[in-house]
Amino acid sequence: MKTLPHVQAAIATAIAAAFVCHSANAAVLPESQSQSSWYTAGAEAVAAKVATARNSGTAKNVILFVGDGMGVSTLTAARIFQGQAAGNTGEENRLSFENFPYSALSKTYSVNQQTPDSAPTMTAMVTGVKTEDGMLSVSADAIRGNCLSSQGHELKTALEYAEEAGKSTGIISTARLTHATPAATYAHTPERNWEADSDMPAEALANGCHDIAYQMVMEAPGDGLEVALGGGRGYFLPNTVVDGEGRNGRRADGKDLTSAWTTNYSNAAYVWNKAEFDAVDTASVDHLLGLFESSHMQYEADRADDVGGEPSLAEMTNKAIDLLAKNDKGYFLMVEAGRIDHAHHAGNAARALQDTVALSDAVQAAMDKVDMSNTLIIVTADHSHTFTIAGYPARGNPILGLVHAPDDEQIDTNPTLAADGLPYTTLGYTNGPGAKTGAREDLSAIDTTEVNFLQQAQVPLSSETHAAEDVAIYAAGPGAYLFQGSVEQNVIFHVINQAAALGATKY
Amino acid sequence: MPRNLFLVGALALWCGHASAADFCPTVADSQNFGLQYQLQGAQQGNLQLLRSHAQTAYYNPDNGVGEWWDFKQASHPNFYRVFSQQQRRIDYYTGDLRTLNIHVSQTEIESFAANNLRQQLTLVGDGACADSQRYQGDYQGVHYELLWSNSLQLPLSLSTRRNDRTQQWQATAVLSGEQVTQQLQQWQQFTDTDYADIGDNETDPFLAQMINQGFVEHSEHAVYNSQGQPLQGAHQH
């Protein structure tokens, strides 16, 4: 394989600088090295870094993209998946945000768990404080599931600071808008599962805690969210209501929060399907609520088959930016690809990778629309999964396929066999539903690239688990340079605060 | 797919027509009723089929586990598993069913997975019950005897024999429409969790048991096979 690595267009401006270094070294290097496309591309990449001007200005806008469960192995596999879908070998491909100039590793452990869930990790990212698993934007002084203990321990979020600063705010998720990641931006609760009032125990109701959906609509900070697009419709509707896709609402208090949204705000709109979403005129709508599923939105792989129709993550991002950008003071937008996590829990790599590519597309949509000189874009994950890329497959071997070793410059037509005499896939999980008790299944006649295929796993669990290794942070725009090295996950908030001058503290 | 019916090789017993003819159900509303089945032979147990218009559920009263389908949106059925003892419910959405490779036929679910089978068998005459017919035949090494209710589109008796192993499902009682409605309403009130959310709730003892001991996935634990079609006798654990 002698494919030239991908070279960014922007690098062209820095070639002259690279040539100086290159020429100096070339005198002592063999031609096979100095003239290697790998060598020259690498030198050009360094030159581009040297030429990159640090943007230490203030970020008018902040967009925080979160891939739920999008560990580094997911990024690698997704870039290959996307590249191969485009007809290339894949490894040289780059997801949109992998071209960002700055990155860091994020340590994801929570106050009480080595391997965290999405609640404390998102809390860390949007409040600057780590907390315990299951709790959203309340400190570890609270006890999970106990309302009274949480009162007085609420943590102020970046979204709330942005509202105070007069900015517009928005949240987007392919999961429920009441799910842990989006909820941590606007809600304060000691139990992530209190998404509707019917989910809450008597203690919580008696002590005045409110469910997450209620907080989003009725107790929103500032002048309220300008954009809220995602799933979770049932949590906003009374249990006496059947929605447009045949699902019951689940609120016991009789409140229709979709109706409250349009009542509470001027120039407000509520939409629940793709046609209504497409018809929204962002010039005339100032508060947009879109709830496209009773629970989570569809996986990207299944989206086209939805009953009511759903917009893509990129389409939601586009629409949100159009609406939020009307505010001269700027905006804070959180965008979550929430179902990468669910596909991994199911042991289903194909859906996880497709949703990761959808996130990459959404980031690209944002980059195409915003002014990167005044917009800080951060792309990261809350935690990882036990997802692995293993074996010694040849370059260009289908990422969802069986391992086939290189054969000179071709790919061996026979799969590589393991010690049990059976072939194995490149992608796998340490645990999950793909594990078998006893002998492994023979995959010789199985199409492992089929979207519903469950990768094999080692430890049998009905649901594959999160993993504890660091996740990546990619950043571009004002203040992005502050992401370097290995950082605690709660540093993300502090970078946002510093870059956007949110006023949480002075540096 | 008729092959799914034959995954349960343990079922096969022909107990004769006399017992089948003993019970002739009378149903006031063929869109809202239930039938209680008793499993006899090598395996024993009970299973209730509950029908309420587009909704069909199979409930094992012995272990309190049920599987509930709603075909109001026929191409996108809603599916729930209920656990009466814990008063919990797991909701499966379209993507979940696809990742589990569950592709169901509404007709098969509503017919005790016997409609397709019936078409593989030979009509041998009328049954003892009004509007019933007897079918029999061999398919993939299993001998079947079926007493079929045309009005209910359900078996009143289904017997199988493979080698020396015999088994029979026998309808033994009718559940009223009111009983069915109450049961479904009760399940609607159970604490529910999306299948996709199970992995994020490892601190919930009920869900942790599912994660660690694996009884949430579609398997022989349920009254369905891996294709989401009901298994005769597969409710044994």
Side-chain angles (χ1 to χ4, degrees):
Chain A
M1 299 298 170
K2 296 180 172 59
T3 306
L4 184 72
H6 174 81
V7 179
Q8 302 172 47
I11 288 175
T13 58
I15 284 181
F19 185 72
V20 172
C21 300
H22 185 195
S23 300
N25 292 333
V28 295
L29 290 175
E31 191 170 287
S32 61
Q33 184 173 2
S34 63
Q35 296 306 308
S36 162
S37 60
W38 298 104
Y39 192 90
T40 55
E44 288 162 0
V46 171
K49 288 287 184 188
V50 171
T52 299
R54 173 182 290 185
N55 183 344
S56 56
T58 299
K60 175 184 176 185
N61 313 307
V62 177
I63 307 178
L64 173 60
F65 287 93
V66 180
D68 198 319
M70 188 177 69
V72 171
S73 57
T74 301
L75 295 174
T76 305
R79 88 164 71 104
I80 297 172
F81 176 81
Q82 185 189 50
Q84 293 183 342
N88 303 313
T89 53
E91 294 83 0
E92 67 290 340
N93 184 48
R94 301 178 77 86
L95 298 170
S96 62
F97 48 86
E98 291 182 307
N99 290 317
F100 283 5
Y102 298 99
S103 62
L105 288 174
S106 172
K107 297 167 67 181
T108 65
Y109 67 95
S110 69
V111 167
N112 66 326
Q113 288 197 193
Q114 203 168 61
T115 304
D117 75 75
S118 300
T121 51
M122 191 59 179
T123 297
M125 285 189 264
V126 296
T127 72
V129 177
K130 291 201 178 199
T131 189
E132 295 187 1
D133 276 44
M135 302 200 294
L136 297 173
S137 295
V138 296
S139 74
D141 299 307
I143 299 168
R144 180 171 183 177
N146 184 276
C147 168
L148 196 59
S149 73
S150 70
Q151 292 173 342
H153 298 296
E154 294 84 358
L155 302 168
K156 197 166 180 177
T157 72
L159 185 147
E160 291 170 322
Y161 279 112
E163 279 286 339
E164 279 191 2
K167 296 179 184 293
S168 292
T169 59
I171 55 170
I172 297 171
S173 178
T174 50
R176 296 186 296 266
L177 289 179
T178 51
H179 211 235
T181 301
T185 65
Y186 63 82
H188 306 272
T189 176
E191 176 52 66
R192 59 176 285 175
N193 289 320
W194 292 353
E195 296 182 56
D197 64 318
S198 55
D199 300 322
M200 300 177 73
E203 184 274 336
L205 295 170
N207 284 311
C209 280
H210 289 141
D211 63 270
I212 294 168
Y214 184 92
Q215 290 188 51
M216 191 189 101
V217 177
M218 307 302 288
E219 298 175 344
D223 64 351
L225 298 170
E226 275 70 25
V227 172
L229 300 171
R233 188 166 56 226
Y235 296 76
F236 296 80
L237 295 174
N239 55 19
T240 53
V241 170
V242 177
D243 68 24
E245 292 181 298
R247 290 276 183 171
N248 283 83
R250 53 186 299 142
R251 297 197 65 80
D253 60 8
K255 295 186 187 308
D256 182 342
L257 296 176
T258 65
S259 177
W261 177 277
T262 54
T263 302
N264 289 356
Y265 302 125
S266 56
N267 302 324
Y270 164 64
V271 298
W272 69 270
N273 59 38
K274 177 73 158 56
E276 291 181 353
F277 171 83
D278 288 342
V280 170
D281 178 5
T282 54
S284 60
V285 172
D286 294 332
H287 293 270
L288 174 61
L289 172 63
L291 297 168
F292 303 104
E293 274 290 335
S294 178
S295 184
H296 304 297
M297 291 178 67
Q298 301 284 357
Y299 290 112
E300 179 61 22
D302 306 315
R303 187 169 60 84
D305 187 38
D306 182 54
V307 174
E310 296 180 1
S312 69
L313 196 61
E315 289 168 334
M316 291 191 287
T317 302
N318 251 323
K319 183 85 76 176
I321 292 172
D322 285 342
L323 195 154
L324 296 171
K326 294 190 298 183
N327 187 338
D328 291 338
K329 293 181 179 176
Y331 57 83
F332 172 86
L333 173 64
M334 192 290 301
V335 182
E336 185 202 23
R339 305 222 66 193
I340 300 168
D341 177 66
H342 296 150
H344 277 324
H345 278 308
N348 183 204
R351 281 188 171 80
L353 300 187
Q354 290 191 43
D355 274 45
T356 305
V357 171
L359 174 66
S360 174
D361 292 344
V363 176
Q364 185 64 54
M367 293 164 62
D368 292 343
K369 190 169 280 285
V370 305
D371 179 353
M372 291 300 295
S373 70
N374 67 9
T375 303
L376 170 63
I377 297 182
I378 302 167
V379 183
T380 188
D382 47 359
H383 56 75
S384 184
H385 273 269
T386 72
F387 185 54
T388 61
I389 307 172
Y392 297 102
R395 173 104 182 259
N397 192 55
I399 188 66
L400 290 169
L402 298 172
V403 170
H404 288 253
D407 181 6
D408 191 14
E409 292 191 14
Q410 304 298 314
I411 297 176
D412 193 338
T413 55
N414 296 312
T416 303
L417 301 183
D420 57 6
L422 299 175
Y424 57 99
T425 54
T426 303
L427 303 180
Y429 293 92
T430 302
N431 60 41
K436 298 282 186 186
T437 302
R440 284 197 307 131
E441 184 179 4
D442 186 353
L443 300 176
S444 300
I446 304 291
D447 180 7
T448 63
T449 66
E450 203 272 328
V451 69
N452 294 325
F453 177 74
L454 301 188
Q455 275 63 31
Q456 292 184 330
Q458 180 183 10
V459 178
L461 294 176
S462 282
S463 182
E464 184 268 352
T465 71
H466 298 175
E469 76 266 21
D470 299 348
V471 297
I473 305 169
Y474 297 90
Y481 69 91
L482 296 169
F483 287 113
Q484 296 179 43
S486 170
V487 299
E488 296 287 352
Q489 197 161 36
N490 50 302
V491 169
I492 293 171
F493 166 85
H494 295 280
V495 171
I496 294 171
N497 181 45
Q498 165 75 3
L502 292 181
T505 186
K506 296 186 185 303
Y507 294 93
Chain B
M1 292 289 290
R3 68 181 178 85
N4 298 320
L5 293 173
F6 306 115
L7 294 177
V8 187
L11 303 180
L13 173 61
W14 173 239
C15 294
H17 297 298
S19 59
D22 285 343
F23 178 72
C24 297
T26 302
V27 172
D29 178 358
S30 64
Q31 292 300 306
N32 198 26
F33 71 99
L35 272 188
Q36 169 103 21
Y37 288 91
Q38 186 174 48
L39 179 64
Q40 302 164 343
Q43 298 174 334
Q44 297 182 348
N46 296 285
L47 189 65
Q48 295 174 350
L49 181 149
L50 310 178
R51 168 77 64 74
S52 179
H53 302 280
Q55 300 177 81
T56 298
Y58 291 85
Y59 178 63
N60 179 349
D62 299 331
N63 64 11
V65 176
E67 304 212 339
W68 176 16
W69 293 90
D70 185 344
F71 291 99
K72 276 199 288 282
Q73 301 270 2
S75 61
H76 294 75
N78 294 331
F79 175 60
Y80 317 92
R81 296 194 74 201
V82 295
F83 301 86
S84 292
Q85 292 168 10
Q86 296 87 355
Q87 300 199 16
R88 297 290 292 259
R89 196 181 77 233
I90 307 296
D91 296 0
Y92 295 71
Y93 284 75
T94 302
D96 304 324
L97 296 176
R98 288 175 177 167
T99 61
L100 291 167
N101 276 311
I102 298 172
H103 306 282
V104 298
S105 154
Q106 180 177 357
T107 305
E108 289 300 298
I109 293 291
E110 292 180 343
S111 67
F112 205 81
N115 185 62
N116 210 331
L117 169 66
R118 182 169 62 95
Q119 296 171 29
Q120 315 301 319
L121 306 179
T122 303
L123 175 65
V124 295
D126 291 338
C129 295
D131 201 27
S132 69
Q133 292 176 313
R134 291 187 293 115
Y135 293 83
Q136 67 178 24
D138 295 333
Y139 189 79
Q140 294 189 343
V142 179
H143 180 73
Y144 286 88
E145 299 280 353
L146 171 66
L147 178 62
W148 177 259
S149 168
N150 285 321
S151 56
L152 300 179
Q153 290 290 292
L154 281 168
L156 300 178
S157 175
L158 176 62
S159 302
T160 62
R161 183 177 66 230
R162 182 201 290 267
N163 299 326
D164 292 330
R165 302 195 66 180
T166 60
Q167 202 90 32
Q168 181 187 25
W169 285 105
Q170 174 67 54
T172 58
V174 171
L175 304 174
S176 70
E178 191 172 298
Q179 285 176 291
V180 170
T181 300
Q182 286 179 350
Q183 181 72 88
L184 298 184
Q185 286 178 344
Q186 183 185 17
W187 291 346
Q188 189 68 46
Q189 302 307 314
F190 283 0
T191 300
D192 60 319
T193 303
D194 279 12
Y195 174 77
D197 290 327
I198 290 174
D200 289 328
N201 283 282
E202 78 288 349
T203 57
D204 180 320
F206 173 75
L207 299 178
Q209 187 181 9
M210 286 191 163
I211 294 170
N212 296 322
Q213 297 183 6
F215 64 92
V216 69
E217 79 277 16
H218 249 69
S219 70
E220 65 279 10
H221 295 102
V223 292
Y224 291 87
N225 62 26
S226 60
Q227 276 69 45
Q229 297 184 326
L231 296 175
Q232 300 98 322
H235 58 291
Q236 280 80 8
H237 286 250

mmCIF file with all atom_site columns, all heavy atoms in Angstrom, chain A residues 114 196 198 415:
data_model
loop_
_atom_site.group_PDB
_atom_site.id
_atom_site.type_symbol
_atom_site.label_atom_id
_atom_site.label_alt_id
_atom_site.label_comp_id
_atom_site.label_asym_id
_atom_site.label_entity_id
_atom_site.label_seq_id
_atom_site.pdbx_PDB_ins_code
_atom_site.Cartn_x
_atom_site.Cartn_y
_atom_site.Cartn_z
_atom_site.occupancy
_atom_site.B_iso_or_equiv
_atom_site.pdbx_formal_charge
_atom_site.auth_seq_id
_atom_site.auth_comp_id
_atom_site.auth_asym_id
_atom_site.auth_atom_id
_atom_site.pdbx_PDB_model_num
ATOM 1  N N   . GLN A 1 114 ? -14.234 4.210   39.126 1.00 0.00 ? 114 GLN A N   1
ATOM 2  C CA  . GLN A 1 114 ? -13.125 4.162   38.186 1.00 0.00 ? 114 GLN A CA  1
ATOM 3  C C   . GLN A 1 114 ? -13.648 4.278   36.750 1.00 0.00 ? 114 GLN A C   1
ATOM 4  O O   . GLN A 1 114 ? -13.086 4.989   35.925 1.00 0.00 ? 114 GLN A O   1
ATOM 5  C CB  . GLN A 1 114 ? -12.400 2.819   38.362 1.00 0.00 ? 114 GLN A CB  1
ATOM 6  C CG  . GLN A 1 114 ? -10.981 2.757   37.919 1.00 0.00 ? 114 GLN A CG  1
ATOM 7  C CD  . GLN A 1 114 ? -10.335 1.471   38.422 1.00 0.00 ? 114 GLN A CD  1
ATOM 8  O OE1 . GLN A 1 114 ? -10.784 0.375   38.079 1.00 0.00 ? 114 GLN A OE1 1
ATOM 9  N NE2 . GLN A 1 114 ? -9.305  1.603   39.237 1.00 0.00 ? 114 GLN A NE2 1
ATOM 10 N N   . ALA A 1 196 ? -39.066 12.057  34.286 1.00 0.00 ? 196 ALA A N   1
ATOM 11 C CA  . ALA A 1 196 ? -40.443 12.564  34.368 1.00 0.00 ? 196 ALA A CA  1
ATOM 12 C C   . ALA A 1 196 ? -40.893 12.431  35.810 1.00 0.00 ? 196 ALA A C   1
ATOM 13 O O   . ALA A 1 196 ? -40.281 11.695  36.599 1.00 0.00 ? 196 ALA A O   1
ATOM 14 C CB  . ALA A 1 196 ? -41.366 11.787  33.437 1.00 0.00 ? 196 ALA A CB  1
ATOM 15 N N   . SER A 1 198 ? -43.259 10.835  36.993 1.00 0.00 ? 198 SER A N   1
ATOM 16 C CA  . SER A 1 198 ? -43.650 9.459   37.310 1.00 0.00 ? 198 SER A CA  1
ATOM 17 C C   . SER A 1 198 ? -42.454 8.581   37.656 1.00 0.00 ? 198 SER A C   1
ATOM 18 O O   . SER A 1 198 ? -42.627 7.466   38.141 1.00 0.00 ? 198 SER A O   1
ATOM 19 C CB  . SER A 1 198 ? -44.409 8.860   36.120 1.00 0.00 ? 198 SER A CB  1
ATOM 20 O OG  . SER A 1 198 ? -43.637 8.961   34.933 1.00 0.00 ? 198 SER A OG  1
ATOM 21 N N   . PRO A 1 415 ? -9.077  -15.966 5.651  1.00 0.00 ? 415 PRO A N   1
ATOM 22 C CA  . PRO A 1 415 ? -8.998  -15.241 6.921  1.00 0.00 ? 415 PRO A CA  1
ATOM 23 C C   . PRO A 1 415 ? -7.930  -15.833 7.829  1.00 0.00 ? 415 PRO A C   1
ATOM 24 O O   . PRO A 1 415 ? -7.619  -17.022 7.757  1.00 0.00 ? 415 PRO A O   1
ATOM 25 C CB  . PRO A 1 415 ? -10.404 -15.425 7.508  1.00 0.00 ? 415 PRO A CB  1
ATOM 26 C CG  . PRO A 1 415 ? -10.911 -16.688 6.903  1.00 0.00 ? 415 PRO A CG  1
ATOM 27 C CD  . PRO A 1 415 ? -10.320 -16.747 5.519  1.00 0.00 ? 415 PRO A CD  1
#
